[in-house]
Amino acid sequence: PLLRGAWSRIALAPVEIDLYRYEYGSGDGLALLPYGSPDPWLTVRLALAAPDAMGPDRGEVLDRIRKLPSTLRGLEIATVAALAATGAPVLADLNEIGALPDLSPTERIYLALGYASLGDDASALEIERALLGEYGERLGPWVRLRVGANLDEILEATSLLGLVAASLGDPLANGMADYV
């Protein structure tokens, strides 16, 4: 009782984040810490979750990440999805990616996120349902994608597909969030 009363009087100050402090000098993405190196995956995920928070040059940053010679296919696909979230005209790119015969489940999820960002809910839903049909598991209220070799990969895939489901208004999004 004594602690509860003391804690109730503590007020936290509002947090203001200046994302430009986290940009690396080269402009090749955002860093987790102001003195850190740019992390392309962090940049892509932030662009998907909060595209307006990245500033006016967000498309240029994402395009630079996409065109780096060291960018692997999975990151390139995720970057195209992030570009879609920023409003870039990448539908033709998404369709070209969708035609690839050997997409991994994670690449397919990013493809669905790109389609959902552009408002192509039918394509996003088709991918979501196909992934759930192949890898989906349900236990009570929980829903997960059983992909990958370990729990981290399962959690990543489930949380990303949960974003797709939430953007589509699919009630399964709650089950995925509960599992994660």
Side-chain angles (χ1 to χ4, degrees), residues 105-122:
T106 303
E107 290 170 339
R108 291 164 60 194
I109 295 169
Y110 277 109
L111 181 63
L113 283 167
Y115 280 130
S117 295
L118 292 179
D120 187 351
D121 292 350

Side-chain angles (χ1 to χ4, degrees), residues 64 81 103 118 159:
R64 277 196 300 274
L103 291 173
L118 292 179
S159 64

